[in-house]
């Protein structure tokens, strides 16, 4: 074995043993899932499955049968029926314990703002995984919580009081889903207080008239974003790939360029989440603007064995000190487990190739692995 080959193998072992900080994730299901529910939670589509198709016929489905089956004491490449029968036999608690407990994640930074009814809460995630869990506060959810019962004049104060209460209670960052609610073609400037009150007045009147409580008003969305900037904690922004609530073209992070420029003097870190298929655009923004970092979570799961390609592309112009690990898992603990496993495999494959060719030293490779696996998150979130 050559020295470079030995280094590449040492590197692979080190990456497998690295404790990860999953900086954007949701809870795991604490309930049992029938086949339809499971299949619906391994696709980002919220439409019914097309006739005669199964979500298992996908990179993610194949990755579950390959990598999660052995965790349930089944052979790799078991059938979906065998897999789901064994999963049902073990039950949600044991399935979560095995999959979360084996992912090597020391900290989950959990977005608590979306469809949490059937999911483990922070304590549940910590207990099932044996790690730590901290909260990320979703700005639009805070607005929706205080909208019921607020007056137009009192909305801004009620929102800020609720937000700061959550942040003082141990949350480590904020998150915006403006991509889902409007898209990034927003006026980048901070809205005037009068404009916020007028927008709140119109929104609260619509809620009184029976409209569903869902924040889509661009002025109030901007107010939320700027409140995140003012909080001086990392502001996560959903970018790219997501369900059909999203118009993908309006979730291109380049549309955030003016907002990034406006918010730059604050020094508040902006974390572009997921980013696929705009991870190269995100890498560019992280390259140019000191306050921008990014991840390729969720894509790594959905592209399965192609994840080495996504990770390689993220390591083009994206600075190494401005990339973080995330799974963006929501629901089945398979997604939490695979997010970690596929990222480790992808990172080892890509960087291992550069060690073998002599382009990267083992020392530099180990340092970059540690930055992306946890040190960048420790620094940005103050963990
Ligand atoms: Zn997410």
């Amino acid at each position: 074995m050559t020295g470079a080959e030995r280094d590449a193998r040492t590197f692979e072992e080190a990456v497998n043993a690295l404790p990860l900080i999953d900086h954007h994730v949701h809870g795991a299901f604490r309930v049992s899932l029938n086949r339809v529910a499971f299949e619906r939670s391994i696709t980002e589509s919220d439409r019914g499955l097309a006739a005669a198709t199964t979500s298992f016929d996908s990179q993610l489905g194949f990755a579950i049968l390959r990598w999660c089956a052995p965790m349930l004491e089944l052979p790799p490449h078991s059938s979906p029926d065998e897999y789901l029968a064994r999963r049902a036999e073990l039950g949600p608690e044991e399935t979560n314990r095995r999959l979360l407990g084996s992912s090597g994640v020391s900290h989950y930074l959990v977005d608590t703002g979306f469809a949490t009814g059937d999911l483990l809460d922070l304590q549940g995630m910590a207990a099932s995984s044996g790690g730590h869990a901290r909260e990320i506060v979703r700005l639009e959810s805070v607005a929706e919580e205080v909208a019921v019962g607020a007056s137009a004049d009192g909305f801004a104060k009620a929102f800020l009081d609720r937000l700061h209460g959550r942040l003082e209670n141990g949350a480590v960052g904020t998150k915006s889903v403006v991509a889902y609610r409007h898209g990034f073609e927003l006026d980048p400037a901070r809205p005037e207080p009068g404009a916020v009150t007028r927008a709140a007045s119109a929104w609260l009147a619509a809620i009184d008239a029976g409209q569903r409580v869902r924040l889509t008003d661009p002025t109030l969305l901007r107010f939320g974003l700027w409140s995140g900037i003012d909080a001086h904690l990392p502001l996560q922004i959903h970018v790219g790939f997501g369900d059909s609530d999203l118009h993908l073209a309006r979730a291109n992070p380049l549309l955030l360029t003016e907002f990034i420029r406006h918010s730059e003097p604050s020094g508040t870190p902006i974390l572009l989440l997921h980013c696929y298929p705009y991870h190269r655009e995100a890498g560019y923004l992280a390259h140019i603007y000191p306050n921008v970092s990014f991840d390729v979570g969720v894509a790594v799961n959905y592209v399965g064995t192609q994840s080495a390609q996504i990770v390689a592309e993220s390591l083009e112009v994206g600075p190494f000190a401005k990339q973080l690990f995330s799974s963006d898992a929501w629901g089945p603990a398979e997604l939490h487990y695979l997010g970690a496993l596929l990222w480790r495999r992808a990172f080892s494959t890509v960087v291992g190739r550069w060690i073998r060719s002599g382009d990267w030293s083992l020392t530099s490779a180990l340092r970059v692995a540690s930055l992306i696996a946890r040190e960048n998150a420790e620094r940005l979130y103050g963990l």
Side-chain angles (χ1 to χ4, degrees), residues 24 26 175 274 328:
H24 170 59
H26 307 260
K175 179 189 178 191
H274 330 313
D328 186 35

Tab-separated table of all heavy atoms in Angstrom, residues 24 26 175 274 328, ligand 1:
chain	number	residue	atom	x	y	z
A	24	HIS	N	-29.184	21.730	10.937
A	24	HIS	CA	-30.591	21.960	10.547
A	24	HIS	C	-31.311	20.627	10.419
A	24	HIS	O	-31.028	19.840	9.514
A	24	HIS	CB	-30.696	22.734	9.234
A	24	HIS	CG	-32.108	22.748	8.743
A	24	HIS	ND1	-33.141	23.287	9.498
A	24	HIS	CD2	-32.688	22.250	7.629
A	24	HIS	CE1	-34.278	23.118	8.850
A	24	HIS	NE2	-34.039	22.494	7.716
A	26	HIS	N	-35.153	18.374	11.853
A	26	HIS	CA	-36.461	18.373	12.520
A	26	HIS	C	-36.530	17.108	13.371
A	26	HIS	O	-35.656	16.249	13.290
A	26	HIS	CB	-37.583	18.383	11.480
A	26	HIS	CG	-37.452	19.507	10.476
A	26	HIS	ND1	-38.161	20.667	10.556
A	26	HIS	CD2	-36.650	19.625	9.380
A	26	HIS	CE1	-37.829	21.459	9.538
A	26	HIS	NE2	-36.911	20.859	8.817
A	175	LYS	N	-34.827	30.997	12.036
A	175	LYS	CA	-34.949	30.448	10.691
A	175	LYS	C	-36.098	31.126	9.970
A	175	LYS	O	-37.130	31.392	10.569
A	175	LYS	CB	-35.220	28.946	10.763
A	175	LYS	CG	-35.377	28.348	9.364
A	175	LYS	CD	-35.859	26.936	9.348
A	175	LYS	CE	-36.019	26.509	7.891
A	175	LYS	NZ	-36.721	25.237	7.755
A	274	HIS	N	-29.714	23.838	2.632
A	274	HIS	CA	-29.986	22.838	1.561
A	274	HIS	C	-29.387	23.258	0.219
A	274	HIS	O	-28.542	22.605	-0.305
A	274	HIS	CB	-31.476	22.555	1.330
A	274	HIS	CG	-32.345	22.707	2.513
A	274	HIS	ND1	-32.003	22.167	3.702
A	274	HIS	CD2	-33.532	23.328	2.695
A	274	HIS	CE1	-32.962	22.437	4.574
A	274	HIS	NE2	-33.897	23.146	3.991
A	328	ASP	N	-31.245	17.912	7.459
A	328	ASP	CA	-32.619	18.376	7.223
A	328	ASP	C	-33.613	17.229	7.330
A	328	ASP	O	-34.658	17.241	6.686
A	328	ASP	CB	-32.797	19.096	5.886
A	328	ASP	CG	-34.198	19.673	5.748
A	328	ASP	OD1	-34.759	20.120	6.776
A	328	ASP	OD2	-34.747	19.672	4.638
B	1	LIG	ZN1	-35.818	21.645	7.088
